[in-house]
Amino acid sequence: MPEAEMWTFNRLPSGGGSSTRIRQLGLNFGAPGDRYGENKTLWLDYPSIGGRSPSVSVSVEGAQVSYFRKHASMIEGEALTWVAASGVSGIEKLTVRLAKNATEKQSYTVRLYFAEFDGVKKGERLFNVSLQSKLVLENFDIAAAAGGTNRSVVTEFKGVTVKDALQLDITCPAEQKEKAILSGIEIIAEG
């Protein structure tokens, strides 16, 4: 049954030693559990509601943060529709700790997953996204980028340098009614 969604939880051993760096991780906001992607990325539900998962330090900030979930069958597109089918609304800042006691920086490829819902049309939800204080998306419009609503879209950024923590900041125009949304973030070490 392709319409049946498969979710689980993962109990992985914690890393040893004084310096541990995450090499590959996905955060699936609002998801009902953990899931592996075809490229072996472990997607963790955030907040964790599906059972025990590996411990990763994640902070989501915003004035009115809320989580939502739809069924993946409602989403079209080539990107992971089961990631795009849920998300966080009202997000302004995301911090993911990728290293403990790091002495050197690591370059990462960062992919951001989005889908527009609730009939929000092109031009109604615009926002800027910065990674490590560098603007990477300006006036991003999910509906325009995806070609409509209920369609997934992924943006990819290579060479994002991180010592300890990856920081993502999102800002919306003050007069805009719609809050920023994000379905997922995939972080993969380069080299």
PDB file of all heavy atoms in Angstrom, residues 108-146:
ATOM      1  N   TYR A 108      29.400  21.711   5.125  1.00  0.00           N
ATOM      2  CA  TYR A 108      28.203  20.893   4.976  1.00  0.00           C
ATOM      3  C   TYR A 108      27.405  21.329   3.754  1.00  0.00           C
ATOM      4  O   TYR A 108      27.427  22.496   3.361  1.00  0.00           O
ATOM      5  CB  TYR A 108      27.287  21.039   6.198  1.00  0.00           C
ATOM      6  CG  TYR A 108      27.782  20.364   7.441  1.00  0.00           C
ATOM      7  CD1 TYR A 108      28.607  21.034   8.342  1.00  0.00           C
ATOM      8  CD2 TYR A 108      27.410  19.053   7.729  1.00  0.00           C
ATOM      9  CE1 TYR A 108      29.051  20.411   9.498  1.00  0.00           C
ATOM     10  CE2 TYR A 108      27.861  18.433   8.879  1.00  0.00           C
ATOM     11  CZ  TYR A 108      28.676  19.111   9.758  1.00  0.00           C
ATOM     12  OH  TYR A 108      29.122  18.489  10.895  1.00  0.00           O
ATOM     13  N   THR A 109      26.662  20.382   3.194  1.00  0.00           N
ATOM     14  CA  THR A 109      25.595  20.684   2.255  1.00  0.00           C
ATOM     15  C   THR A 109      24.316  20.722   3.072  1.00  0.00           C
ATOM     16  O   THR A 109      24.041  19.803   3.849  1.00  0.00           O
ATOM     17  CB  THR A 109      25.487  19.610   1.153  1.00  0.00           C
ATOM     18  OG1 THR A 109      26.685  19.637   0.370  1.00  0.00           O
ATOM     19  CG2 THR A 109      24.283  19.847   0.254  1.00  0.00           C
ATOM     20  N   VAL A 110      23.548  21.790   2.930  1.00  0.00           N
ATOM     21  CA  VAL A 110      22.306  21.964   3.680  1.00  0.00           C
ATOM     22  C   VAL A 110      21.157  22.049   2.683  1.00  0.00           C
ATOM     23  O   VAL A 110      21.197  22.850   1.747  1.00  0.00           O
ATOM     24  CB  VAL A 110      22.352  23.237   4.562  1.00  0.00           C
ATOM     25  CG1 VAL A 110      21.025  23.450   5.278  1.00  0.00           C
ATOM     26  CG2 VAL A 110      23.511  23.162   5.555  1.00  0.00           C
ATOM     27  N   ARG A 111      20.161  21.203   2.893  1.00  0.00           N
ATOM     28  CA  ARG A 111      18.960  21.217   2.052  1.00  0.00           C
ATOM     29  C   ARG A 111      17.757  21.606   2.916  1.00  0.00           C
ATOM     30  O   ARG A 111      17.547  21.020   3.977  1.00  0.00           O
ATOM     31  CB  ARG A 111      18.716  19.843   1.434  1.00  0.00           C
ATOM     32  CG  ARG A 111      19.794  19.432   0.463  1.00  0.00           C
ATOM     33  CD  ARG A 111      19.501  18.076  -0.172  1.00  0.00           C
ATOM     34  NE  ARG A 111      20.635  17.659  -0.972  1.00  0.00           N
ATOM     35  CZ  ARG A 111      21.278  16.509  -0.820  1.00  0.00           C
ATOM     36  NH1 ARG A 111      20.873  15.629   0.090  1.00  0.00           N
ATOM     37  NH2 ARG A 111      22.311  16.219  -1.575  1.00  0.00           N
ATOM     38  N   LEU A 112      16.977  22.540   2.428  1.00  0.00           N
ATOM     39  CA  LEU A 112      15.766  22.977   3.114  1.00  0.00           C
ATOM     40  C   LEU A 112      14.566  22.489   2.325  1.00  0.00           C
ATOM     41  O   LEU A 112      14.489  22.687   1.106  1.00  0.00           O
ATOM     42  CB  LEU A 112      15.744  24.504   3.237  1.00  0.00           C
ATOM     43  CG  LEU A 112      16.955  25.136   3.919  1.00  0.00           C
ATOM     44  CD1 LEU A 112      16.831  26.658   3.905  1.00  0.00           C
ATOM     45  CD2 LEU A 112      17.114  24.618   5.338  1.00  0.00           C
ATOM     46  N   TYR A 113      13.626  21.854   3.015  1.00  0.00           N
ATOM     47  CA  TYR A 113      12.431  21.261   2.393  1.00  0.00           C
ATOM     48  C   TYR A 113      11.208  22.099   2.754  1.00  0.00           C
ATOM     49  O   TYR A 113      11.007  22.443   3.921  1.00  0.00           O
ATOM     50  CB  TYR A 113      12.228  19.826   2.897  1.00  0.00           C
ATOM     51  CG  TYR A 113      13.271  18.863   2.394  1.00  0.00           C
ATOM     52  CD1 TYR A 113      14.580  18.906   2.860  1.00  0.00           C
ATOM     53  CD2 TYR A 113      12.948  17.902   1.444  1.00  0.00           C
ATOM     54  CE1 TYR A 113      15.544  18.014   2.391  1.00  0.00           C
ATOM     55  CE2 TYR A 113      13.901  17.008   0.963  1.00  0.00           C
ATOM     56  CZ  TYR A 113      15.188  17.078   1.446  1.00  0.00           C
ATOM     57  OH  TYR A 113      16.133  16.200   0.971  1.00  0.00           O
ATOM     58  N   PHE A 114      10.394  22.374   1.734  1.00  0.00           N
ATOM     59  CA  PHE A 114       9.207  23.208   1.918  1.00  0.00           C
ATOM     60  C   PHE A 114       8.030  22.628   1.132  1.00  0.00           C
ATOM     61  O   PHE A 114       8.213  21.927   0.141  1.00  0.00           O
ATOM     62  CB  PHE A 114       9.438  24.620   1.360  1.00  0.00           C
ATOM     63  CG  PHE A 114      10.584  25.366   1.945  1.00  0.00           C
ATOM     64  CD1 PHE A 114      11.831  25.343   1.327  1.00  0.00           C
ATOM     65  CD2 PHE A 114      10.437  26.124   3.092  1.00  0.00           C
ATOM     66  CE1 PHE A 114      12.901  26.057   1.836  1.00  0.00           C
ATOM     67  CE2 PHE A 114      11.498  26.838   3.614  1.00  0.00           C
ATOM     68  CZ  PHE A 114      12.732  26.805   2.983  1.00  0.00           C
ATOM     69  N   ALA A 115       6.826  22.990   1.544  1.00  0.00           N
ATOM     70  CA  ALA A 115       5.600  22.814   0.766  1.00  0.00           C
ATOM     71  C   ALA A 115       4.619  23.864   1.261  1.00  0.00           C
ATOM     72  O   ALA A 115       4.573  24.163   2.465  1.00  0.00           O
ATOM     73  CB  ALA A 115       5.019  21.414   0.924  1.00  0.00           C
ATOM     74  N   GLU A 116       3.857  24.426   0.358  1.00  0.00           N
ATOM     75  CA  GLU A 116       2.860  25.442   0.712  1.00  0.00           C
ATOM     76  C   GLU A 116       1.505  24.773   0.877  1.00  0.00           C
ATOM     77  O   GLU A 116       1.133  23.907   0.084  1.00  0.00           O
ATOM     78  CB  GLU A 116       2.799  26.513  -0.377  1.00  0.00           C
ATOM     79  CG  GLU A 116       1.966  27.704   0.001  1.00  0.00           C
ATOM     80  CD  GLU A 116       2.470  28.397   1.252  1.00  0.00           C
ATOM     81  OE1 GLU A 116       3.430  29.167   1.159  1.00  0.00           O
ATOM     82  OE2 GLU A 116       1.884  28.152   2.335  1.00  0.00           O
ATOM     83  N   PHE A 117       0.789  25.155   1.929  1.00  0.00           N
ATOM     84  CA  PHE A 117      -0.509  24.553   2.250  1.00  0.00           C
ATOM     85  C   PHE A 117      -1.583  25.627   2.383  1.00  0.00           C
ATOM     86  O   PHE A 117      -1.316  26.815   2.272  1.00  0.00           O
ATOM     87  CB  PHE A 117      -0.427  23.804   3.589  1.00  0.00           C
ATOM     88  CG  PHE A 117       0.555  22.680   3.593  1.00  0.00           C
ATOM     89  CD1 PHE A 117       1.808  22.845   4.159  1.00  0.00           C
ATOM     90  CD2 PHE A 117       0.243  21.464   3.035  1.00  0.00           C
ATOM     91  CE1 PHE A 117       2.718  21.806   4.166  1.00  0.00           C
ATOM     92  CE2 PHE A 117       1.147  20.422   3.024  1.00  0.00           C
ATOM     93  CZ  PHE A 117       2.392  20.596   3.604  1.00  0.00           C
ATOM     94  N   ASP A 118      -2.756  25.174   2.699  1.00  0.00           N
ATOM     95  CA  ASP A 118      -3.869  26.027   3.102  1.00  0.00           C
ATOM     96  C   ASP A 118      -4.239  27.091   2.070  1.00  0.00           C
ATOM     97  O   ASP A 118      -4.717  28.160   2.425  1.00  0.00           O
ATOM     98  CB  ASP A 118      -3.581  26.691   4.457  1.00  0.00           C
ATOM     99  CG  ASP A 118      -3.313  25.653   5.537  1.00  0.00           C
ATOM    100  OD1 ASP A 118      -3.968  24.592   5.505  1.00  0.00           O
ATOM    101  OD2 ASP A 118      -2.452  25.886   6.401  1.00  0.00           O
ATOM    102  N   GLY A 119      -4.000  26.810   0.796  1.00  0.00           N
ATOM    103  CA  GLY A 119      -4.423  27.732  -0.247  1.00  0.00           C
ATOM    104  C   GLY A 119      -3.647  29.040  -0.307  1.00  0.00           C
ATOM    105  O   GLY A 119      -4.105  29.991  -0.940  1.00  0.00           O
ATOM    106  N   VAL A 120      -2.503  29.113   0.359  1.00  0.00           N
ATOM    107  CA  VAL A 120      -1.687  30.326   0.288  1.00  0.00           C
ATOM    108  C   VAL A 120      -1.143  30.444  -1.133  1.00  0.00           C
ATOM    109  O   VAL A 120      -0.516  29.520  -1.644  1.00  0.00           O
ATOM    110  CB  VAL A 120      -0.542  30.289   1.329  1.00  0.00           C
ATOM    111  CG1 VAL A 120       0.367  31.494   1.172  1.00  0.00           C
ATOM    112  CG2 VAL A 120      -1.111  30.230   2.737  1.00  0.00           C
ATOM    113  N   LYS A 121      -1.421  31.568  -1.759  1.00  0.00           N
ATOM    114  CA  LYS A 121      -1.060  31.761  -3.164  1.00  0.00           C
ATOM    115  C   LYS A 121       0.300  32.443  -3.308  1.00  0.00           C
ATOM    116  O   LYS A 121       0.838  32.983  -2.343  1.00  0.00           O
ATOM    117  CB  LYS A 121      -2.142  32.596  -3.851  1.00  0.00           C
ATOM    118  CG  LYS A 121      -3.499  31.898  -3.895  1.00  0.00           C
ATOM    119  CD  LYS A 121      -4.529  32.819  -4.517  1.00  0.00           C
ATOM    120  CE  LYS A 121      -5.885  32.190  -4.585  1.00  0.00           C
ATOM    121  NZ  LYS A 121      -6.503  31.926  -3.313  1.00  0.00           N
ATOM    122  N   LYS A 122       0.804  32.443  -4.545  1.00  0.00           N
ATOM    123  CA  LYS A 122       2.077  33.109  -4.848  1.00  0.00           C
ATOM    124  C   LYS A 122       2.035  34.546  -4.340  1.00  0.00           C
ATOM    125  O   LYS A 122       1.035  35.243  -4.527  1.00  0.00           O
ATOM    126  CB  LYS A 122       2.333  33.111  -6.350  1.00  0.00           C
ATOM    127  CG  LYS A 122       2.583  31.743  -6.936  1.00  0.00           C
ATOM    128  CD  LYS A 122       2.767  31.823  -8.449  1.00  0.00           C
ATOM    129  CE  LYS A 122       2.893  30.436  -9.039  1.00  0.00           C
ATOM    130  NZ  LYS A 122       3.025  30.473 -10.492  1.00  0.00           N
ATOM    131  N   GLY A 123       3.107  34.960  -3.694  1.00  0.00           N
ATOM    132  CA  GLY A 123       3.226  36.328  -3.202  1.00  0.00           C
ATOM    133  C   GLY A 123       2.630  36.581  -1.829  1.00  0.00           C
ATOM    134  O   GLY A 123       2.821  37.649  -1.263  1.00  0.00           O
ATOM    135  N   GLU A 124       1.899  35.615  -1.262  1.00  0.00           N
ATOM    136  CA  GLU A 124       1.262  35.822   0.051  1.00  0.00           C
ATOM    137  C   GLU A 124       2.163  35.451   1.225  1.00  0.00           C
ATOM    138  O   GLU A 124       1.926  35.894   2.333  1.00  0.00           O
ATOM    139  CB  GLU A 124      -0.039  35.026   0.138  1.00  0.00           C
ATOM    140  CG  GLU A 124      -1.113  35.537  -0.786  1.00  0.00           C
ATOM    141  CD  GLU A 124      -2.412  34.758  -0.684  1.00  0.00           C
ATOM    142  OE1 GLU A 124      -2.450  33.662  -0.083  1.00  0.00           O
ATOM    143  OE2 GLU A 124      -3.414  35.248  -1.223  1.00  0.00           O
ATOM    144  N   ARG A 125       3.181  34.606   0.986  1.00  0.00           N
ATOM    145  CA  ARG A 125       4.108  34.237   2.058  1.00  0.00           C
ATOM    146  C   ARG A 125       5.531  34.385   1.492  1.00  0.00           C
ATOM    147  O   ARG A 125       5.981  33.582   0.690  1.00  0.00           O
ATOM    148  CB  ARG A 125       3.890  32.806   2.531  1.00  0.00           C
ATOM    149  CG  ARG A 125       4.770  32.440   3.714  1.00  0.00           C
ATOM    150  CD  ARG A 125       4.764  30.959   4.069  1.00  0.00           C
ATOM    151  NE  ARG A 125       3.527  30.247   3.952  1.00  0.00           N
ATOM    152  CZ  ARG A 125       2.679  29.994   4.964  1.00  0.00           C
ATOM    153  NH1 ARG A 125       2.951  30.420   6.172  1.00  0.00           N
ATOM    154  NH2 ARG A 125       1.571  29.300   4.745  1.00  0.00           N
ATOM    155  N   LEU A 126       6.209  35.420   1.923  1.00  0.00           N
ATOM    156  CA  LEU A 126       7.581  35.679   1.501  1.00  0.00           C
ATOM    157  C   LEU A 126       8.454  35.744   2.750  1.00  0.00           C
ATOM    158  O   LEU A 126       8.024  36.257   3.783  1.00  0.00           O
ATOM    159  CB  LEU A 126       7.688  37.013   0.761  1.00  0.00           C
ATOM    160  CG  LEU A 126       6.799  37.197  -0.469  1.00  0.00           C
ATOM    161  CD1 LEU A 126       6.892  38.624  -0.976  1.00  0.00           C
ATOM    162  CD2 LEU A 126       7.190  36.217  -1.560  1.00  0.00           C
ATOM    163  N   PHE A 127       9.672  35.223   2.642  1.00  0.00           N
ATOM    164  CA  PHE A 127      10.591  35.348   3.775  1.00  0.00           C
ATOM    165  C   PHE A 127      12.029  35.205   3.309  1.00  0.00           C
ATOM    166  O   PHE A 127      12.305  34.709   2.227  1.00  0.00           O
ATOM    167  CB  PHE A 127      10.268  34.339   4.878  1.00  0.00           C
ATOM    168  CG  PHE A 127      10.146  32.899   4.441  1.00  0.00           C
ATOM    169  CD1 PHE A 127      11.239  32.056   4.437  1.00  0.00           C
ATOM    170  CD2 PHE A 127       8.917  32.385   4.056  1.00  0.00           C
ATOM    171  CE1 PHE A 127      11.127  30.732   4.052  1.00  0.00           C
ATOM    172  CE2 PHE A 127       8.786  31.060   3.666  1.00  0.00           C
ATOM    173  CZ  PHE A 127       9.896  30.231   3.667  1.00  0.00           C
ATOM    174  N   ASN A 128      12.936  35.682   4.153  1.00  0.00           N
ATOM    175  CA  ASN A 128      14.369  35.591   3.908  1.00  0.00           C
ATOM    176  C   ASN A 128      14.943  34.513   4.808  1.00  0.00           C
ATOM    177  O   ASN A 128      14.503  34.357   5.954  1.00  0.00           O
ATOM    178  CB  ASN A 128      15.068  36.914   4.208  1.00  0.00           C
ATOM    179  CG  ASN A 128      14.580  38.043   3.334  1.00  0.00           C
ATOM    180  OD1 ASN A 128      14.173  37.831   2.202  1.00  0.00           O
ATOM    181  ND2 ASN A 128      14.620  39.251   3.857  1.00  0.00           N
ATOM    182  N   VAL A 129      15.932  33.784   4.297  1.00  0.00           N
ATOM    183  CA  VAL A 129      16.591  32.729   5.065  1.00  0.00           C
ATOM    184  C   VAL A 129      18.096  32.992   5.062  1.00  0.00           C
ATOM    185  O   VAL A 129      18.678  33.244   4.000  1.00  0.00           O
ATOM    186  CB  VAL A 129      16.316  31.329   4.482  1.00  0.00           C
ATOM    187  CG1 VAL A 129      17.061  30.250   5.256  1.00  0.00           C
ATOM    188  CG2 VAL A 129      14.819  31.040   4.449  1.00  0.00           C
ATOM    189  N   SER A 130      18.705  32.930   6.243  1.00  0.00           N
ATOM    190  CA  SER A 130      20.159  33.052   6.390  1.00  0.00           C
ATOM    191  C   SER A 130      20.691  31.790   7.044  1.00  0.00           C
ATOM    192  O   SER A 130      20.065  31.245   7.952  1.00  0.00           O
ATOM    193  CB  SER A 130      20.522  34.262   7.259  1.00  0.00           C
ATOM    194  OG  SER A 130      20.121  35.457   6.637  1.00  0.00           O
ATOM    195  N   LEU A 131      21.852  31.329   6.564  1.00  0.00           N
ATOM    196  CA  LEU A 131      22.582  30.226   7.177  1.00  0.00           C
ATOM    197  C   LEU A 131      23.918  30.772   7.651  1.00  0.00           C
ATOM    198  O   LEU A 131      24.642  31.400   6.863  1.00  0.00           O
ATOM    199  CB  LEU A 131      22.815  29.090   6.175  1.00  0.00           C
ATOM    200  CG  LEU A 131      21.594  28.280   5.768  1.00  0.00           C
ATOM    201  CD1 LEU A 131      21.928  27.370   4.587  1.00  0.00           C
ATOM    202  CD2 LEU A 131      21.084  27.458   6.943  1.00  0.00           C
ATOM    203  N   GLN A 132      24.231  30.577   8.923  1.00  0.00           N
ATOM    204  CA  GLN A 132      25.469  31.083   9.511  1.00  0.00           C
ATOM    205  C   GLN A 132      25.610  32.586   9.238  1.00  0.00           C
ATOM    206  O   GLN A 132      26.674  33.074   8.886  1.00  0.00           O
ATOM    207  CB  GLN A 132      26.688  30.326   8.991  1.00  0.00           C
ATOM    208  CG  GLN A 132      26.674  28.825   9.187  1.00  0.00           C
ATOM    209  CD  GLN A 132      26.524  28.380  10.624  1.00  0.00           C
ATOM    210  OE1 GLN A 132      25.414  28.333  11.140  1.00  0.00           O
ATOM    211  NE2 GLN A 132      27.623  28.031  11.277  1.00  0.00           N
ATOM    212  N   SER A 133      24.503  33.309   9.382  1.00  0.00           N
ATOM    213  CA  SER A 133      24.429  34.767   9.207  1.00  0.00           C
ATOM    214  C   SER A 133      24.643  35.232   7.766  1.00  0.00           C
ATOM    215  O   SER A 133      24.816  36.421   7.512  1.00  0.00           O
ATOM    216  CB  SER A 133      25.427  35.481  10.129  1.00  0.00           C
ATOM    217  OG  SER A 133      25.143  35.173  11.480  1.00  0.00           O
ATOM    218  N   LYS A 134      24.605  34.327   6.793  1.00  0.00           N
ATOM    219  CA  LYS A 134      24.739  34.687   5.381  1.00  0.00           C
ATOM    220  C   LYS A 134      23.390  34.480   4.692  1.00  0.00           C
ATOM    221  O   LYS A 134      22.821  33.388   4.741  1.00  0.00           O
ATOM    222  CB  LYS A 134      25.804  33.817   4.708  1.00  0.00           C
ATOM    223  CG  LYS A 134      25.970  34.108   3.236  1.00  0.00           C
ATOM    224  CD  LYS A 134      26.980  33.181   2.587  1.00  0.00           C
ATOM    225  CE  LYS A 134      27.000  33.408   1.096  1.00  0.00           C
ATOM    226  NZ  LYS A 134      27.783  32.400   0.383  1.00  0.00           N
ATOM    227  N   LEU A 135      22.877  35.531   4.049  1.00  0.00           N
ATOM    228  CA  LEU A 135      21.599  35.455   3.353  1.00  0.00           C
ATOM    229  C   LEU A 135      21.700  34.473   2.191  1.00  0.00           C
ATOM    230  O   LEU A 135      22.554  34.610   1.323  1.00  0.00           O
ATOM    231  CB  LEU A 135      21.198  36.837   2.837  1.00  0.00           C
ATOM    232  CG  LEU A 135      19.846  36.931   2.141  1.00  0.00           C
ATOM    233  CD1 LEU A 135      18.713  36.657   3.126  1.00  0.00           C
ATOM    234  CD2 LEU A 135      19.682  38.306   1.502  1.00  0.00           C
ATOM    235  N   VAL A 136      20.829  33.445   2.196  1.00  0.00           N
ATOM    236  CA  VAL A 136      20.846  32.438   1.133  1.00  0.00           C
ATOM    237  C   VAL A 136      19.555  32.434   0.315  1.00  0.00           C
ATOM    238  O   VAL A 136      19.554  31.983  -0.830  1.00  0.00           O
ATOM    239  CB  VAL A 136      21.141  31.018   1.683  1.00  0.00           C
ATOM    240  CG1 VAL A 136      22.560  30.941   2.234  1.00  0.00           C
ATOM    241  CG2 VAL A 136      20.123  30.591   2.730  1.00  0.00           C
ATOM    242  N   LEU A 137      18.458  32.899   0.880  1.00  0.00           N
ATOM    243  CA  LEU A 137      17.190  33.023   0.157  1.00  0.00           C
ATOM    244  C   LEU A 137      16.595  34.390   0.480  1.00  0.00           C
ATOM    245  O   LEU A 137      16.409  34.723   1.652  1.00  0.00           O
ATOM    246  CB  LEU A 137      16.192  31.937   0.579  1.00  0.00           C
ATOM    247  CG  LEU A 137      16.490  30.500   0.199  1.00  0.00           C
ATOM    248  CD1 LEU A 137      15.475  29.559   0.851  1.00  0.00           C
ATOM    249  CD2 LEU A 137      16.487  30.328  -1.310  1.00  0.00           C
ATOM    250  N   GLU A 138      16.282  35.160  -0.566  1.00  0.00           N
ATOM    251  CA  GLU A 138      15.692  36.475  -0.362  1.00  0.00           C
ATOM    252  C   GLU A 138      14.302  36.501  -0.963  1.00  0.00           C
ATOM    253  O   GLU A 138      14.109  36.103  -2.121  1.00  0.00           O
ATOM    254  CB  GLU A 138      16.573  37.552  -0.994  1.00  0.00           C
ATOM    255  CG  GLU A 138      16.121  38.961  -0.683  1.00  0.00           C
ATOM    256  CD  GLU A 138      17.123  40.013  -1.136  1.00  0.00           C
ATOM    257  OE1 GLU A 138      18.065  39.688  -1.888  1.00  0.00           O
ATOM    258  OE2 GLU A 138      16.944  41.170  -0.734  1.00  0.00           O
ATOM    259  N   ASN A 139      13.333  36.961  -0.181  1.00  0.00           N
ATOM    260  CA  ASN A 139      11.932  36.993  -0.602  1.00  0.00           C
ATOM    261  C   ASN A 139      11.502  35.651  -1.181  1.00  0.00           C
ATOM    262  O   ASN A 139      10.866  35.580  -2.238  1.00  0.00           O
ATOM    263  CB  ASN A 139      11.685  38.118  -1.609  1.00  0.00           C
ATOM    264  CG  ASN A 139      11.815  39.478  -0.974  1.00  0.00           C
ATOM    265  OD1 ASN A 139      11.401  39.683   0.166  1.00  0.00           O
ATOM    266  ND2 ASN A 139      12.412  40.414  -1.681  1.00  0.00           N
ATOM    267  N   PHE A 140      11.849  34.575  -0.474  1.00  0.00           N
ATOM    268  CA  PHE A 140      11.510  33.231  -0.928  1.00  0.00           C
ATOM    269  C   PHE A 140      10.010  33.027  -0.861  1.00  0.00           C
ATOM    270  O   PHE A 140       9.358  33.326   0.141  1.00  0.00           O
ATOM    271  CB  PHE A 140      12.231  32.184  -0.084  1.00  0.00           C
ATOM    272  CG  PHE A 140      12.025  30.774  -0.569  1.00  0.00           C
ATOM    273  CD1 PHE A 140      12.523  30.373  -1.794  1.00  0.00           C
ATOM    274  CD2 PHE A 140      11.323  29.856   0.195  1.00  0.00           C
ATOM    275  CE1 PHE A 140      12.332  29.073  -2.255  1.00  0.00           C
ATOM    276  CE2 PHE A 140      11.138  28.559  -0.250  1.00  0.00           C
ATOM    277  CZ  PHE A 140      11.638  28.171  -1.475  1.00  0.00           C
ATOM    278  N   ASP A 141       9.457  32.523  -1.952  1.00  0.00           N
ATOM    279  CA  ASP A 141       8.023  32.295  -2.097  1.00  0.00           C
ATOM    280  C   ASP A 141       7.837  30.813  -2.411  1.00  0.00           C
ATOM    281  O   ASP A 141       8.120  30.369  -3.525  1.00  0.00           O
ATOM    282  CB  ASP A 141       7.508  33.176  -3.236  1.00  0.00           C
ATOM    283  CG  ASP A 141       6.006  33.117  -3.429  1.00  0.00           C
ATOM    284  OD1 ASP A 141       5.383  32.096  -3.067  1.00  0.00           O
ATOM    285  OD2 ASP A 141       5.455  34.093  -3.973  1.00  0.00           O
ATOM    286  N   ILE A 142       7.376  30.040  -1.442  1.00  0.00           N
ATOM    287  CA  ILE A 142       7.256  28.591  -1.606  1.00  0.00           C
ATOM    288  C   ILE A 142       6.330  28.248  -2.768  1.00  0.00           C
ATOM    289  O   ILE A 142       6.654  27.412  -3.613  1.00  0.00           O
ATOM    290  CB  ILE A 142       6.754  27.916  -0.312  1.00  0.00           C
ATOM    291  CG1 ILE A 142       7.726  28.159   0.840  1.00  0.00           C
ATOM    292  CG2 ILE A 142       6.557  26.423  -0.530  1.00  0.00           C
ATOM    293  CD1 ILE A 142       7.177  27.770   2.200  1.00  0.00           C
ATOM    294  N   ALA A 143       5.164  28.891  -2.817  1.00  0.00           N
ATOM    295  CA  ALA A 143       4.184  28.581  -3.874  1.00  0.00           C
ATOM    296  C   ALA A 143       4.765  28.847  -5.262  1.00  0.00           C
ATOM    297  O   ALA A 143       4.559  28.064  -6.190  1.00  0.00           O
ATOM    298  CB  ALA A 143       2.903  29.376  -3.657  1.00  0.00           C
ATOM    299  N   ALA A 144       5.507  29.916  -5.409  1.00  0.00           N
ATOM    300  CA  ALA A 144       6.114  30.232  -6.712  1.00  0.00           C
ATOM    301  C   ALA A 144       7.217  29.230  -7.042  1.00  0.00           C
ATOM    302  O   ALA A 144       7.295  28.730  -8.168  1.00  0.00           O
ATOM    303  CB  ALA A 144       6.671  31.652  -6.706  1.00  0.00           C
ATOM    304  N   ALA A 145       8.065  28.920  -6.064  1.00  0.00           N
ATOM    305  CA  ALA A 145       9.191  28.003  -6.307  1.00  0.00           C
ATOM    306  C   ALA A 145       8.710  26.585  -6.598  1.00  0.00           C
ATOM    307  O   ALA A 145       9.312  25.875  -7.408  1.00  0.00           O
ATOM    308  CB  ALA A 145      10.131  28.004  -5.106  1.00  0.00           C
ATOM    309  N   ALA A 146       7.629  26.166  -5.940  1.00  0.00           N
ATOM    310  CA  ALA A 146       7.122  24.800  -6.113  1.00  0.00           C
ATOM    311  C   ALA A 146       6.154  24.677  -7.286  1.00  0.00           C
ATOM    312  O   ALA A 146       5.835  23.570  -7.704  1.00  0.00           O
ATOM    313  CB  ALA A 146       6.435  24.329  -4.831  1.00  0.00           C
TER     314      ALA A 146
END
